[in-house]
Amino acid sequence: MHRPDAPHTTDDRTADPAGRPRSAAADGPLTGLRVVDLATLFAGPGAATLLGDFGADVIKVEHPRKPDPSRGHGPAKDGVGLWWKHLGRNKRTVTADLSTPGGRDVLLRLAATADVVVENFRPGTLEKWDLGWDVLSAANPRLVLARVTAFGQVGPYARRPGFGTLAEAMSGFAATTGEPDGPPTLPPFGLADSIAGIATAYAVMAALAGRDRTGGGQVVDMAIIEPMLAVLGPQLLWYDQLGYVQPRLGNRSTNNAPRNTYRTADGGWVAVSSSAQSVAERVLRLVGHPEFVDEPWFASGTGRAAHAEEIDKVVGEWISRRSREEVLAAFESAQAAVAPVYDVRDVVADPQFRALGTVTRIEDEDLGPVRLQNVLFRLSRTPGAVRWTGRPHGADTDEVLTELGLTPPEIAALRAQGAL
């Protein structure tokens, strides 16, 4: 299995005339696919990023005077937003005010050449600009339009503003996350947006496969509240069939034990999981309590979960007397499932992540060499790659519009009108 891995430097790649580095992703599985990214912030743009990672030509369209807010989101270095460098990778950047006649014309030209358009405006916004599905599909009957919103295109909440945080709350995720006697807990990062981005990329590929079969494009209606609900597993089925509502359990599980985080003697933390019966038995024997294995309740995950307090006590005491490295070595020798609790510093140093090429290094025009997550998975024949980081606002406008057939005077006129 091949995957571009760290370190990547300018020594092993050359720059194209626009200053973007070339890479092996020119042979990626989505090479030849054109994606127009009209979305802002995270879920919609994240889907476009994933498509670009595997070779799609992603054209990011931003308002000429109001760039994507992700450019200013989170920490910055020397005034350069780092979130955008990550989210904007492998995208060419174009400006167009879609509410103007000139900007509308630019989008219609782009749509006519594109396979996919991704947008996350409130329902009705594209229609207000006379750029609804009827207009876009007339310009390109093979187009796939991915519409990513908090609540979807229909229903009583459709026109409400919304972000991933609301999906984390409404899906049931927050209600089941946190300590039993604590408040519902939200993740400290864009979990729902990230999951929706991955789901949207999958939905786009499904729609493109359908296009290959039928010859026509279609609309993807992605509501961010739904993928978040999907990853909660059988909770809906449990409620439907048993009336069971998943409570907050902290790090424990109703399905098995031991399953928790435990502190080591040197102040580190490890996570233990025992979804398989054989692993649970190995853990209890390792920590010196084989008598637990002979208990009738130990024979099932739910039985062990009902005795989590007793199990956690003996496992936690054993771990607390040893360093993290000693715990990891003992668990590995016993073939029991354990992992260190990492922060980002540990991730970049870990040999398994290095072997997978999970972190890549690439030259950025503003920051020099930077490290960021590599593409999401490895393909043996047509691998993806991070070819460049997020580009400056509108950096590729003239190049892209020239490709669409506009002349320099026409581009200058659009710019003078405020359309670009």
Side-chain angles (χ1 to χ4, degrees):
M1 302 290 279
H2 173 73
R3 180 179 187 170
D5 54 13
H8 277 322
T9 69
T10 51
D11 294 335
D12 61 8
R13 50 180 64 207
T14 57
D16 71 7
R20 294 180 305 274
R22 303 182 192 277
S23 81
D27 300 319
L30 302 183
T31 297
L33 196 75
R34 172 166 282 186
V35 177
V36 178
D37 176 9
L38 306 179
T40 57
L41 291 173
F42 309 118
T49 299
L50 294 174
L51 299 172
D53 285 350
F54 288 92
D57 175 22
V58 180
I59 299 172
K60 172 75 174 181
V61 179
E62 298 173 84
H63 192 283
R65 291 164 295 281
K66 294 179 284 186
D68 188 324
S70 68
R71 289 182 178 273
H73 214 79
K77 181 180 179 182
D78 300 329
V80 177
L82 301 180
W83 206 318
W84 166 251
K85 289 295 184 181
H86 169 77
L87 187 64
R89 68 184 186 269
N90 295 337
K91 298 180 183 182
R92 297 195 283 169
T93 59
V94 169
T95 59
D97 182 348
L98 305 185
S99 67
T100 66
R104 178 181 179 275
D105 180 64
V106 166
L107 180 59
L108 286 175
R109 286 173 178 258
L110 278 171
T113 69
D115 299 279
V116 181
V117 170
V118 181
E119 64 99 357
N120 69 342
F121 302 110
R122 287 198 210 181
T125 300
L126 281 184
E127 288 75 10
K128 179 179 68 176
W129 296 333
D130 196 22
L131 287 169
W133 171 240
D134 56 337
V135 176
L136 294 175
S137 61
N140 182 355
R142 290 174 56 79
L143 185 70
V144 170
L145 174 63
R147 314 194 77 168
V148 186
T149 57
F151 305 111
Q153 297 295 310
V154 298
Y157 305 159
R159 292 181 180 268
R160 290 183 181 179
F163 300 99
T165 297
L166 307 191
E168 289 150 8
M170 287 182 63
S171 64
F173 170 82
T176 61
T177 305
E179 293 300 322
D181 56 352
T185 302
L186 297 167
F189 61 96
L191 180 62
D193 282 317
S194 298
I195 292 172
I198 296 170
T200 301
Y202 166 68
V204 164
M205 298 310 299
L208 291 172
R211 184 185 72 175
D212 290 343
R213 185 167 53 83
T214 67
Q218 59 185 304
V219 176
V220 172
D221 179 5
M222 178 61 67
I224 299 174
I225 55 175
E226 291 183 306
M228 196 66 207
L229 177 62
V231 301
L232 297 185
Q235 289 187 25
L236 189 59
L237 186 60
W238 289 341
Y239 172 70
D240 177 67
Q241 294 297 301
L242 302 172
Y244 175 75
V245 178
Q246 172 76 50
R248 286 191 292 283
L249 299 166
N251 291 321
R252 287 179 175 168
S253 167
T254 57
N255 305 312
N256 63 79
R259 196 268 195 180
N260 213 327
T261 57
Y262 306 89
R263 191 158 197 175
T264 60
D266 55 355
W269 290 87
V270 296
V272 174
S273 177
S274 59
S275 295
Q277 178 70 24
S278 58
V279 172
E281 293 176 4
R282 290 172 197 154
V283 171
L284 270 297
R285 290 191 175 106
L286 171 65
V287 302
H289 288 274
E291 72 278 7
F292 278 62
V293 178
D294 298 326
E295 294 287 345
W297 50 260
F298 198 87
S300 70
T302 53
R304 296 196 306 275
H307 292 262
E309 199 72 40
E310 304 160 57
I311 292 174
D312 271 349
K313 183 175 185 297
V314 297
V315 173
E317 286 177 351
W318 185 91
I319 289 174
S320 70
R321 296 193 296 270
R322 292 160 175 82
S323 71
R324 189 171 79 170
E325 290 307 311
E326 289 173 326
V327 171
L328 296 175
F331 268 71
E332 182 175 355
S333 178
Q335 297 186 11
V338 69
V341 176
Y342 276 173
D343 64 25
V344 69
R345 294 168 295 186
D346 301 306
V347 169
V348 298
D350 184 84
Q352 182 61 32
F353 284 122
R354 286 184 175 179
L356 294 171
T358 304
V359 178
T360 187
R361 187 187 302 271
I362 190 166
E363 193 73 18
D364 177 79
E365 57 193 293
D366 297 313
L367 302 170
V370 298
R371 288 180 293 186
L372 69 165
Q373 295 96 317
N374 210 332
V375 297
L376 193 58
F377 49 85
R378 289 159 296 284
L379 295 177
S380 62
R381 180 169 290 188
T382 54
V386 179
R387 308 188 299 282
W388 63 85
T389 53
R391 301 268 288 152
H393 181 226
D396 305 294
T397 302
D398 288 19
E399 175 187 82
V400 172
L401 268 56
T402 299
E403 292 173 2
L404 296 176
L406 276 72
T407 65
E410 288 172 326
I411 296 171
L414 288 170
R415 194 165 273 125
Q417 296 165 16
L420 299 181

